[in-house]
Amino acid sequence: MNAPASLSPYSSATGKSNVERHTLSVLVDNEPGVLARVVGLFSGRGYNIESLTVAEVAHAEHWSRITIVTTGTPEAIEQIGHQLERIVPIHKVTDLTLRGRSIERELAMIKVRGKGEMRVEALRLAEAFKAKVVDATTESFIFELTGAPSKIDDFLDIMRPLGLVELARTGVAAITRGAEAG
């Protein structure tokens, strides 16, 4: 029988009981290599990035926001935040999970194949989730759904037995609530 390997604070979070999901917002200069440095910090520590989105948010300043969803112990997430802050072209790191007042949304396009009753059921359930039909053929639909990641997960779970064929997700976009910047 193999003894469990001891895990550093940076090791994969799998199997730890106090693992938490965190959403980090990182304001960076929009220049080549910045994303690679940020992702390299995660991979170098053995942490998985569950979702990653990047977009320019201040054109005149050439700033982009990187939104990262990851899991880890509270201590490890805190350490990642401190290490991100040390990367030179980073202006601000905010743990939106700790701020507690943030909104997360994601866009998904879901292709579902179906005929007859399965097709009718897929349309009925899509309407209940407020999913929009963006393409239709006689054999399939492509639904567009925007919402919290958990809403998209729930929709996927009910579409699988009805003929889920393919899926594309944008990743999480998040922002703090209220008048103050995150």
Side-chain angles (χ1 to χ4, degrees):
M1 181 150 101
N2 293 342
S6 66
L7 299 174
S8 79
Y10 305 110
S11 302
S12 173
T14 306
K16 291 188 176 184
S17 61
N18 60 342
V19 169
E20 299 175 352
R21 178 186 175 275
H22 282 252
T23 302
L24 306 175
S25 173
V26 185
L27 188 62
V28 302
D29 283 344
N30 186 5
E31 62 184 46
V34 175
L35 180 60
R37 291 175 71 190
V38 169
V39 170
L41 186 143
F42 279 80
S43 66
R45 305 294 187 271
Y47 273 90
N48 187 41
I49 294 175
E50 293 182 7
S51 172
L52 175 74
T53 59
V54 183
E56 188 172 65
V57 293
H59 185 70
E61 294 87 351
H62 300 287
W63 289 353
S64 289
R65 180 176 316 279
I66 302 172
T67 305
I68 303 167
V69 177
T70 191
T71 55
T73 64
E75 298 82 15
I77 300 293
E78 182 179 3
Q79 189 63 31
I80 287 171
H82 291 310
Q83 290 180 352
L84 283 169
E85 289 170 343
R86 285 189 236 147
I87 296 176
V88 173
I90 291 181
H91 297 280
K92 186 174 186 180
V93 177
T94 305
D95 186 334
L96 298 175
T97 304
L98 294 180
R99 296 281 306 261
R101 292 179 38 91
S102 64
I103 305 293
E104 292 186 359
R105 292 294 180 264
E106 186 174 11
L107 167 74
M109 291 187 296
I110 303 106
K111 186 185 295 185
V112 178
R113 180 180 325 152
K115 292 185 176 186
E117 285 302 313
M118 298 294 259
R119 184 176 177 88
V120 172
E121 183 67 3
L123 281 171
R124 186 186 67 75
L125 291 167
E127 185 177 331
F129 275 81
K130 295 185 170 71
K132 182 176 156 185
V133 176
V134 293
D135 185 63
T137 68
T138 57
E139 296 182 0
S140 69
F141 291 104
I142 298 177
F143 297 108
E144 177 185 283
L145 181 60
T146 304
S150 59
K151 176 184 177 181
I152 293 171
D153 291 340
D154 291 345
F155 184 71
L156 295 173
D157 287 344
I158 66 167
M159 286 296 146
R160 277 188 184 88
L162 296 176
L164 180 71
V165 174
E166 190 174 359
L167 165 68
R169 293 177 85 153
T170 60
V172 172
I175 194 166
T176 57
R177 296 185 71 194
E180 297 174 16

